[in-house]
Short mmCIF file of all heavy atoms in Angstrom, two decimals:
data_model
loop_
_atom_site.label_atom_id
_atom_site.label_comp_id
_atom_site.label_asym_id
_atom_site.label_seq_id
_atom_site.Cartn_x
_atom_site.Cartn_y
_atom_site.Cartn_z
N GLU A 1 -26.10 -67.79 150.54
CA GLU A 1 -25.66 -67.61 151.92
C GLU A 1 -24.20 -67.97 152.14
O GLU A 1 -23.46 -67.22 152.78
CB GLU A 1 -26.54 -68.47 152.85
CG GLU A 1 -27.98 -67.98 152.97
CD GLU A 1 -28.75 -68.82 153.96
OE1 GLU A 1 -28.20 -69.82 154.46
OE2 GLU A 1 -29.92 -68.49 154.23
N ARG A 2 -23.77 -69.11 151.60
CA ARG A 2 -22.42 -69.62 151.89
C ARG A 2 -21.38 -69.14 150.88
O ARG A 2 -20.26 -68.81 151.26
CB ARG A 2 -22.45 -71.15 151.92
CG ARG A 2 -23.42 -71.73 152.94
CD ARG A 2 -22.91 -71.50 154.36
NE ARG A 2 -23.82 -72.12 155.34
CZ ARG A 2 -23.56 -72.14 156.64
NH1 ARG A 2 -22.44 -71.61 157.11
NH2 ARG A 2 -24.42 -72.70 157.48
N PHE A 3 -21.76 -69.12 149.61
CA PHE A 3 -20.80 -68.73 148.57
C PHE A 3 -20.94 -67.26 148.18
O PHE A 3 -20.21 -66.78 147.31
CB PHE A 3 -20.98 -69.61 147.33
CG PHE A 3 -20.61 -71.05 147.57
CD1 PHE A 3 -21.58 -71.97 147.93
CD2 PHE A 3 -19.30 -71.48 147.44
CE1 PHE A 3 -21.25 -73.31 148.14
CE2 PHE A 3 -18.97 -72.80 147.66
CZ PHE A 3 -19.94 -73.72 148.01
N HIS A 4 -21.90 -66.57 148.78
CA HIS A 4 -22.12 -65.14 148.57
C HIS A 4 -22.30 -64.78 147.09
O HIS A 4 -21.82 -63.76 146.60
CB HIS A 4 -20.95 -64.34 149.16
CG HIS A 4 -20.74 -64.58 150.62
ND1 HIS A 4 -21.60 -64.08 151.59
CD2 HIS A 4 -19.79 -65.31 151.27
CE1 HIS A 4 -21.17 -64.47 152.78
NE2 HIS A 4 -20.08 -65.21 152.61
N MET A 5 -23.00 -65.65 146.39
CA MET A 5 -23.34 -65.36 145.00
C MET A 5 -24.56 -64.45 144.97
O MET A 5 -25.47 -64.60 145.79
CB MET A 5 -23.66 -66.67 144.25
CG MET A 5 -24.04 -66.47 142.79
SD MET A 5 -24.46 -68.03 141.96
CE MET A 5 -22.84 -68.82 141.90
N PRO A 6 -24.59 -63.45 144.07
CA PRO A 6 -25.79 -62.60 143.97
C PRO A 6 -27.04 -63.44 143.73
O PRO A 6 -27.00 -64.42 142.99
CB PRO A 6 -25.47 -61.70 142.78
CG PRO A 6 -23.98 -61.65 142.72
CD PRO A 6 -23.52 -63.01 143.17
N CYS A 7 -28.12 -63.05 144.38
CA CYS A 7 -29.34 -63.86 144.32
C CYS A 7 -29.86 -64.01 142.90
O CYS A 7 -30.44 -65.04 142.54
CB CYS A 7 -30.41 -63.26 145.23
SG CYS A 7 -30.92 -61.59 144.80
N GLU A 8 -29.66 -62.98 142.06
CA GLU A 8 -30.13 -63.06 140.68
C GLU A 8 -29.42 -64.17 139.92
O GLU A 8 -30.05 -64.95 139.18
CB GLU A 8 -29.94 -61.73 139.95
CG GLU A 8 -30.79 -60.59 140.48
CD GLU A 8 -30.18 -59.92 141.70
OE1 GLU A 8 -29.06 -60.34 142.09
OE2 GLU A 8 -30.80 -58.99 142.25
N TYR A 9 -28.09 -64.27 140.10
CA TYR A 9 -27.33 -65.31 139.40
C TYR A 9 -27.64 -66.70 139.95
O TYR A 9 -27.70 -67.68 139.20
CB TYR A 9 -25.83 -65.02 139.50
CG TYR A 9 -25.41 -63.75 138.79
CD1 TYR A 9 -25.09 -62.61 139.51
CD2 TYR A 9 -25.35 -63.69 137.41
CE1 TYR A 9 -24.71 -61.44 138.87
CE2 TYR A 9 -24.97 -62.53 136.75
CZ TYR A 9 -24.66 -61.40 137.49
OH TYR A 9 -24.30 -60.25 136.86
N ALA A 10 -27.82 -66.78 141.26
CA ALA A 10 -28.15 -68.08 141.85
C ALA A 10 -29.52 -68.56 141.37
O ALA A 10 -29.69 -69.74 141.04
CB ALA A 10 -28.15 -67.96 143.38
N PHE A 11 -30.48 -67.63 141.32
CA PHE A 11 -31.80 -68.02 140.83
C PHE A 11 -31.75 -68.40 139.36
O PHE A 11 -32.41 -69.35 138.92
CB PHE A 11 -32.78 -66.85 141.04
CG PHE A 11 -34.19 -67.17 140.62
CD1 PHE A 11 -35.03 -67.87 141.46
CD2 PHE A 11 -34.66 -66.78 139.39
CE1 PHE A 11 -36.32 -68.18 141.08
CE2 PHE A 11 -35.96 -67.07 138.99
CZ PHE A 11 -36.79 -67.78 139.84
N MET A 12 -30.96 -67.66 138.56
CA MET A 12 -30.85 -67.97 137.14
C MET A 12 -30.24 -69.35 136.93
O MET A 12 -30.72 -70.13 136.09
CB MET A 12 -29.99 -66.91 136.45
CG MET A 12 -29.80 -67.12 134.96
SD MET A 12 -28.86 -65.78 134.21
CE MET A 12 -27.30 -65.94 135.12
N LEU A 13 -29.20 -69.68 137.71
CA LEU A 13 -28.56 -70.97 137.57
C LEU A 13 -29.48 -72.11 137.96
O LEU A 13 -29.63 -73.09 137.22
CB LEU A 13 -27.30 -71.00 138.43
CG LEU A 13 -26.54 -72.33 138.50
CD1 LEU A 13 -26.02 -72.72 137.12
CD2 LEU A 13 -25.39 -72.25 139.49
N THR A 14 -30.13 -71.99 139.11
CA THR A 14 -31.00 -73.07 139.57
C THR A 14 -32.27 -73.19 138.73
O THR A 14 -32.79 -74.28 138.54
CB THR A 14 -31.38 -72.84 141.04
OG1 THR A 14 -31.93 -71.52 141.20
CG2 THR A 14 -30.16 -72.98 141.93
N THR A 15 -32.76 -72.07 138.20
CA THR A 15 -33.93 -72.13 137.33
C THR A 15 -33.61 -72.84 136.03
O THR A 15 -34.43 -73.61 135.50
CB THR A 15 -34.45 -70.71 137.04
OG1 THR A 15 -34.77 -70.06 138.27
CG2 THR A 15 -35.70 -70.75 136.18
N ALA A 16 -32.40 -72.61 135.51
CA ALA A 16 -31.99 -73.31 134.30
C ALA A 16 -31.93 -74.82 134.54
O ALA A 16 -32.37 -75.62 133.68
CB ALA A 16 -30.63 -72.80 133.84
N LEU A 17 -31.43 -75.23 135.71
CA LEU A 17 -31.40 -76.65 136.04
C LEU A 17 -32.81 -77.21 136.19
O LEU A 17 -33.07 -78.36 135.82
CB LEU A 17 -30.60 -76.86 137.33
CG LEU A 17 -29.12 -76.49 137.28
CD1 LEU A 17 -28.50 -76.64 138.65
CD2 LEU A 17 -28.38 -77.36 136.27
N ARG A 18 -33.69 -76.41 136.74
CA ARG A 18 -35.07 -76.87 136.95
C ARG A 18 -35.82 -77.01 135.63
O ARG A 18 -36.68 -77.88 135.49
CB ARG A 18 -35.79 -75.89 137.87
CG ARG A 18 -37.23 -76.29 138.18
CD ARG A 18 -37.89 -75.24 139.05
NE ARG A 18 -37.21 -75.07 140.32
CZ ARG A 18 -37.53 -74.12 141.20
NH1 ARG A 18 -38.50 -73.27 140.94
NH2 ARG A 18 -36.87 -74.05 142.34
N PHE A 19 -35.50 -76.17 134.64
CA PHE A 19 -36.24 -76.18 133.39
C PHE A 19 -35.73 -77.21 132.40
O PHE A 19 -36.36 -77.41 131.37
CB PHE A 19 -36.20 -74.79 132.75
CG PHE A 19 -37.34 -73.91 133.17
CD1 PHE A 19 -37.34 -73.32 134.42
CD2 PHE A 19 -38.41 -73.69 132.35
CE1 PHE A 19 -38.38 -72.51 134.83
CE2 PHE A 19 -39.47 -72.90 132.73
CZ PHE A 19 -39.46 -72.30 133.97
N VAL A 20 -34.59 -77.83 132.69
CA VAL A 20 -34.06 -78.84 131.76
C VAL A 20 -35.02 -80.01 131.60
O VAL A 20 -35.38 -80.38 130.46
CB VAL A 20 -32.67 -79.30 132.20
CG1 VAL A 20 -32.24 -80.54 131.43
CG2 VAL A 20 -31.65 -78.19 131.98
N PRO A 21 -35.49 -80.67 132.68
CA PRO A 21 -36.44 -81.77 132.48
C PRO A 21 -37.76 -81.31 131.86
O PRO A 21 -38.37 -82.05 131.07
CB PRO A 21 -36.65 -82.33 133.89
CG PRO A 21 -36.22 -81.25 134.81
CD PRO A 21 -35.15 -80.50 134.10
N ASP A 22 -38.22 -80.10 132.22
CA ASP A 22 -39.44 -79.58 131.61
C ASP A 22 -39.25 -79.37 130.10
O ASP A 22 -40.15 -79.65 129.30
CB ASP A 22 -39.84 -78.26 132.27
CG ASP A 22 -40.25 -78.44 133.72
OD1 ASP A 22 -40.61 -79.58 134.09
OD2 ASP A 22 -40.21 -77.47 134.48
N PHE A 23 -38.08 -78.87 129.72
CA PHE A 23 -37.81 -78.63 128.30
C PHE A 23 -37.76 -79.95 127.54
O PHE A 23 -38.27 -80.04 126.40
CB PHE A 23 -36.48 -77.88 128.16
CG PHE A 23 -36.19 -77.44 126.76
CD1 PHE A 23 -36.77 -76.29 126.24
CD2 PHE A 23 -35.33 -78.18 125.96
CE1 PHE A 23 -36.50 -75.89 124.95
CE2 PHE A 23 -35.05 -77.78 124.68
CZ PHE A 23 -35.63 -76.63 124.16
N LEU A 24 -37.19 -80.99 128.15
CA LEU A 24 -37.13 -82.30 127.49
C LEU A 24 -38.52 -82.90 127.33
O LEU A 24 -38.84 -83.47 126.27
CB LEU A 24 -36.24 -83.24 128.30
CG LEU A 24 -34.75 -82.88 128.35
CD1 LEU A 24 -34.00 -83.85 129.25
CD2 LEU A 24 -34.14 -82.89 126.95
N SER A 25 -39.36 -82.77 128.35
CA SER A 25 -40.72 -83.29 128.24
C SER A 25 -41.53 -82.51 127.22
O SER A 25 -42.33 -83.08 126.47
CB SER A 25 -41.41 -83.26 129.61
OG SER A 25 -41.49 -81.93 130.09
N ASP A 26 -41.33 -81.18 127.15
CA ASP A 26 -42.01 -80.37 126.15
C ASP A 26 -41.58 -80.74 124.73
O ASP A 26 -42.39 -80.74 123.81
CB ASP A 26 -41.74 -78.87 126.40
CG ASP A 26 -42.48 -78.35 127.61
OD1 ASP A 26 -43.40 -79.04 128.09
OD2 ASP A 26 -42.13 -77.25 128.09
N SER A 27 -40.30 -81.03 124.57
CA SER A 27 -39.82 -81.41 123.24
C SER A 27 -40.43 -82.72 122.78
O SER A 27 -40.80 -82.87 121.61
CB SER A 27 -38.29 -81.52 123.25
OG SER A 27 -37.87 -82.55 124.13
N LYS A 28 -40.59 -83.67 123.71
CA LYS A 28 -41.22 -84.94 123.35
C LYS A 28 -42.69 -84.74 123.01
O LYS A 28 -43.19 -85.31 122.02
CB LYS A 28 -41.08 -85.93 124.50
CG LYS A 28 -41.60 -87.33 124.19
CD LYS A 28 -41.39 -88.27 125.35
CE LYS A 28 -41.84 -89.68 125.00
NZ LYS A 28 -43.26 -89.74 124.57
N ALA A 29 -43.39 -83.91 123.81
CA ALA A 29 -44.80 -83.64 123.53
C ALA A 29 -44.98 -82.91 122.20
O ALA A 29 -45.90 -83.21 121.42
CB ALA A 29 -45.41 -82.83 124.67
N THR A 30 -44.10 -81.96 121.92
CA THR A 30 -44.18 -81.22 120.66
C THR A 30 -43.89 -82.13 119.47
O THR A 30 -44.55 -82.04 118.43
CB THR A 30 -43.18 -80.05 120.67
OG1 THR A 30 -43.43 -79.22 121.81
CG2 THR A 30 -43.30 -79.21 119.41
N LEU A 31 -42.91 -83.02 119.62
CA LEU A 31 -42.59 -83.95 118.55
C LEU A 31 -43.75 -84.89 118.27
O LEU A 31 -44.08 -85.17 117.10
CB LEU A 31 -41.34 -84.75 118.92
CG LEU A 31 -40.82 -85.75 117.87
CD1 LEU A 31 -40.48 -85.03 116.57
CD2 LEU A 31 -39.63 -86.51 118.42
N ASP A 32 -44.41 -85.38 119.32
CA ASP A 32 -45.58 -86.25 119.13
C ASP A 32 -46.72 -85.49 118.47
O ASP A 32 -47.41 -86.04 117.58
CB ASP A 32 -46.04 -86.81 120.48
CG ASP A 32 -45.01 -87.76 121.09
OD1 ASP A 32 -44.17 -88.27 120.33
OD2 ASP A 32 -45.05 -87.96 122.32
N ALA A 33 -46.94 -84.24 118.87
CA ALA A 33 -48.02 -83.45 118.27
C ALA A 33 -47.76 -83.17 116.79
O ALA A 33 -48.67 -83.27 115.96
CB ALA A 33 -48.17 -82.13 119.03
N GLN A 34 -46.51 -82.85 116.45
CA GLN A 34 -46.18 -82.58 115.05
C GLN A 34 -46.20 -83.86 114.22
O GLN A 34 -46.52 -83.81 113.03
CB GLN A 34 -44.81 -81.92 114.96
CG GLN A 34 -44.74 -80.54 115.59
CD GLN A 34 -45.69 -79.55 114.95
OE1 GLN A 34 -46.86 -79.48 115.32
NE2 GLN A 34 -45.20 -78.80 113.98
N SER A 35 -45.89 -84.99 114.83
CA SER A 35 -45.97 -86.27 114.11
C SER A 35 -47.41 -86.60 113.75
O SER A 35 -47.68 -87.16 112.68
CB SER A 35 -45.37 -87.39 114.96
OG SER A 35 -44.00 -87.14 115.22
N CYS A 36 -48.35 -86.25 114.63
CA CYS A 36 -49.77 -86.46 114.33
C CYS A 36 -50.23 -85.56 113.18
O CYS A 36 -51.22 -85.87 112.50
CB CYS A 36 -50.62 -86.19 115.57
SG CYS A 36 -50.33 -87.34 116.92
N ARG A 37 -49.51 -84.46 112.97
CA ARG A 37 -49.86 -83.54 111.88
C ARG A 37 -49.11 -83.85 110.58
O ARG A 37 -49.15 -83.07 109.63
CB ARG A 37 -49.57 -82.10 112.30
CG ARG A 37 -50.42 -81.60 113.46
CD ARG A 37 -50.12 -80.15 113.76
NE ARG A 37 -50.99 -79.60 114.78
CZ ARG A 37 -50.70 -79.58 116.08
NH1 ARG A 37 -49.55 -80.08 116.49
NH2 ARG A 37 -51.54 -79.07 116.96
N GLY A 38 -48.39 -84.97 110.55
CA GLY A 38 -47.71 -85.37 109.32
C GLY A 38 -46.23 -85.12 109.29
O GLY A 38 -45.60 -85.24 108.24
N TYR A 39 -45.63 -84.79 110.43
CA TYR A 39 -44.19 -84.55 110.46
C TYR A 39 -43.44 -85.85 110.25
O TYR A 39 -43.79 -86.89 110.82
CB TYR A 39 -43.79 -83.93 111.80
CG TYR A 39 -42.30 -83.96 112.06
CD1 TYR A 39 -41.45 -83.09 111.41
CD2 TYR A 39 -41.76 -84.89 112.96
CE1 TYR A 39 -40.08 -83.12 111.65
CE2 TYR A 39 -40.39 -84.92 113.20
CZ TYR A 39 -39.56 -84.04 112.55
OH TYR A 39 -38.22 -84.07 112.77
N SER A 40 -42.40 -85.81 109.42
CA SER A 40 -41.59 -86.99 109.14
C SER A 40 -40.12 -86.58 109.15
O SER A 40 -39.74 -85.54 108.61
CB SER A 40 -41.94 -87.58 107.77
OG SER A 40 -41.09 -88.67 107.47
N ASN A 41 -39.30 -87.40 109.77
CA ASN A 41 -37.87 -87.13 109.86
C ASN A 41 -37.06 -88.06 108.96
O ASN A 41 -35.92 -88.40 109.27
CB ASN A 41 -37.38 -87.23 111.30
CG ASN A 41 -37.62 -88.61 111.87
OD1 ASN A 41 -38.31 -89.44 111.27
ND2 ASN A 41 -37.04 -88.89 113.03
N ARG A 42 -37.65 -88.47 107.87
CA ARG A 42 -36.95 -89.35 106.93
C ARG A 42 -36.25 -88.52 105.86
O ARG A 42 -36.59 -87.37 105.64
CB ARG A 42 -37.94 -90.31 106.29
CG ARG A 42 -38.62 -91.27 107.28
CD ARG A 42 -39.60 -92.17 106.57
NE ARG A 42 -40.26 -93.07 107.52
CZ ARG A 42 -41.19 -93.95 107.17
NH1 ARG A 42 -41.57 -94.05 105.89
NH2 ARG A 42 -41.73 -94.72 108.09
N GLY A 43 -35.28 -89.16 105.21
CA GLY A 43 -34.53 -88.49 104.16
C GLY A 43 -33.10 -88.22 104.58
O GLY A 43 -32.59 -88.80 105.54
N SER A 44 -32.44 -87.34 103.85
CA SER A 44 -31.05 -87.01 104.13
C SER A 44 -30.95 -86.17 105.40
O SER A 44 -31.95 -85.74 105.98
CB SER A 44 -30.44 -86.25 102.95
OG SER A 44 -31.12 -85.02 102.75
N VAL A 45 -29.70 -85.92 105.81
CA VAL A 45 -29.47 -85.15 107.04
C VAL A 45 -30.00 -83.73 106.89
O VAL A 45 -30.62 -83.18 107.81
CB VAL A 45 -27.96 -85.14 107.37
CG1 VAL A 45 -27.69 -84.26 108.59
CG2 VAL A 45 -27.45 -86.55 107.59
N PHE A 46 -29.79 -83.13 105.73
CA PHE A 46 -30.26 -81.76 105.50
C PHE A 46 -31.78 -81.68 105.50
O PHE A 46 -32.36 -80.72 106.01
CB PHE A 46 -29.69 -81.23 104.19
CG PHE A 46 -28.19 -81.14 104.17
CD1 PHE A 46 -27.44 -82.12 103.54
CD2 PHE A 46 -27.53 -80.10 104.81
CE1 PHE A 46 -26.05 -82.05 103.52
CE2 PHE A 46 -26.15 -80.02 104.81
CZ PHE A 46 -25.41 -81.01 104.16
N LYS A 47 -32.43 -82.68 104.92
CA LYS A 47 -33.89 -82.70 104.94
C LYS A 47 -34.43 -82.86 106.36
O LYS A 47 -35.43 -82.25 106.73
CB LYS A 47 -34.40 -83.83 104.05
CG LYS A 47 -34.24 -83.57 102.55
CD LYS A 47 -34.86 -84.69 101.74
CE LYS A 47 -34.74 -84.40 100.24
NZ LYS A 47 -35.34 -85.49 99.43
#
């Protein structure tokens, strides 16, 4: 309304901001699930 940005770009920008905390919580849940399946982050940086 005020900055006259196209609604598609405004929705895209605000949706990206909204999905950041969801993405962080999903990453933590996925990491915990993979750790239960034997995932290990030990070793060198490349490993």
Side-chain angles (χ1 to χ4, degrees):
E1 290 183 355
R2 302 290 182 175
F3 293 94
H4 302 287
M5 179 182 291
C7 61
E8 294 83 2
Y9 295 105
F11 182 81
M12 180 177 62
L13 176 62
T14 54
T15 302
L17 296 175
R18 181 182 299 174
F19 269 76
V20 168
D22 293 339
F23 187 81
L24 293 177
S25 61
D26 287 346
S27 63
K28 185 178 183 303
T30 304
L31 182 60
D32 293 340
Q34 295 300 86
S35 299
C36 295
R37 296 183 175 93
Y39 166 75
S40 176
N41 60 350
R42 297 179 180 178
S44 62
V45 176
F46 297 100
K47 287 184 178 180

